[in-house]
């Protein structure tokens, strides 16, 4: 088998017994890293430390949450800027932002007013985002999903 040392150096092709002896002398484990290679590749390493580092790496990943912002068709300019500021914060944190506009009563007969508000939202957002779902009317509300752009 091909043996790689604990510092990453190549120790050459050695028999299994010799590899086990070397790993015991150094106080580490003998781990098979490429069993399908010819000859198989093993590494002298501290396997417990390796598993700990892998668990830390996986726990450090952040999943993108979906944060919702609710608006109305008759929203004032200042309130809209506040909602866009919150959306910008969500996007900077790596989360997606879902914008939902609810219509009450007779407001539903003028969905184009709602679409104008969505256009204004897109104008106020900075350029570092992607629209995952275009604004579309579903029943008595319009939804749009905005995601941070991949870096």
């Amino acid at each position: 088998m091909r043996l790689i040392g604990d510092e990453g150096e190549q120790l050459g092709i050695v028999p299994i017994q010799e590899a086990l002896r070397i790993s015991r002398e150094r106080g580490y484990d003998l781990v098979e890293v490429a069993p399908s290679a010819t000859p198989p590749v093993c590494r002298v390493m501290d396997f417990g430390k390796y598993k700990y580092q892998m668990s830390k790496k996986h726990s450090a990943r952040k999943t993108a949450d979906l944060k919702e912002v609710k608006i109305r068709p008759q929203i004032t300019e200042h309130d809209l800027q506040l909602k866009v500021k919150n959306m910008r914060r969500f996007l900077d944190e790596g989360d997606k932002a879902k914008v939902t506009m609810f219509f009450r009563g007779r407001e539903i007969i003028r969905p184009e007013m709602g679409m104008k508000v969505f256009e204004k939202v897109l104008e106020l957002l900075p350029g570092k985002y992607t629209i995952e779902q275009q604004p579309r009317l579903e029943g008595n509300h319009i939804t749009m999903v905005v995601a941070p752009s991949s870096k």
Side-chain angles (χ1 to χ4, degrees):
M1 76 174 52
R2 184 175 303 278
L3 187 64
I4 301 173
D6 55 323
E7 300 287 324
E9 72 277 8
Q10 294 279 339
L11 299 179
I13 297 175
V14 296
I16 294 174
Q17 303 306 332
E18 179 71 15
L20 286 170
R21 186 188 61 75
I22 291 172
S23 66
R24 263 189 249 116
E25 282 177 2
R26 295 187 182 187
Y28 291 116
D29 303 311
L30 183 65
V31 180
E32 190 174 28
V33 292
S36 61
T38 308
V41 180
C42 290
R43 184 179 183 126
V44 177
M45 65 190 314
D46 185 354
F47 191 66
K49 182 179 178 183
Y50 173 76
K51 280 177 56 176
Y52 174 74
Q53 288 173 341
M54 288 296 111
S55 71
K56 293 295 278 184
K57 188 184 289 187
H58 288 293
S59 66
R61 288 186 186 148
K62 183 185 182 303
T63 58
D65 293 330
L66 183 65
K67 306 278 184 137
E68 187 171 13
V69 176
K70 295 182 179 180
I71 58 176
R72 303 265 315 156
Q74 303 295 332
I75 192 166
T76 62
E77 183 68 30
H78 181 266
D79 290 343
L80 185 63
Q81 288 177 357
L82 185 68
K83 299 286 185 175
V84 169
K85 180 180 171 187
N86 287 335
M87 286 176 57
R88 192 176 301 137
R89 183 169 45 92
F90 298 153
L91 294 171
D92 289 342
E93 291 171 359
D95 297 326
K96 296 178 184 179
K98 178 180 181 180
V99 186
T100 306
M101 176 183 293
F102 284 98
F103 293 101
R104 278 194 269 173
R106 292 185 180 168
E107 291 174 342
I108 193 66
I109 63 173
R110 301 285 306 274
E112 64 275 0
M113 288 179 62
M115 290 298 181
K116 286 182 184 176
V117 174
F118 276 102
E119 289 171 12
K120 191 173 248 185
V121 166
L122 293 175
E123 283 178 19
L124 293 173
L125 270 177
K128 54 186 176 188
Y129 65 90
T130 56
I131 300 174
E132 263 190 14
Q133 177 185 328
Q134 292 290 333
R136 70 172 177 222
L137 183 64
E138 300 168 346
N140 66 340
H141 59 279
I142 300 176
T143 58
M144 173 177 72
V145 178
V146 181
S149 61
S150 56
K151 295 171 183 160

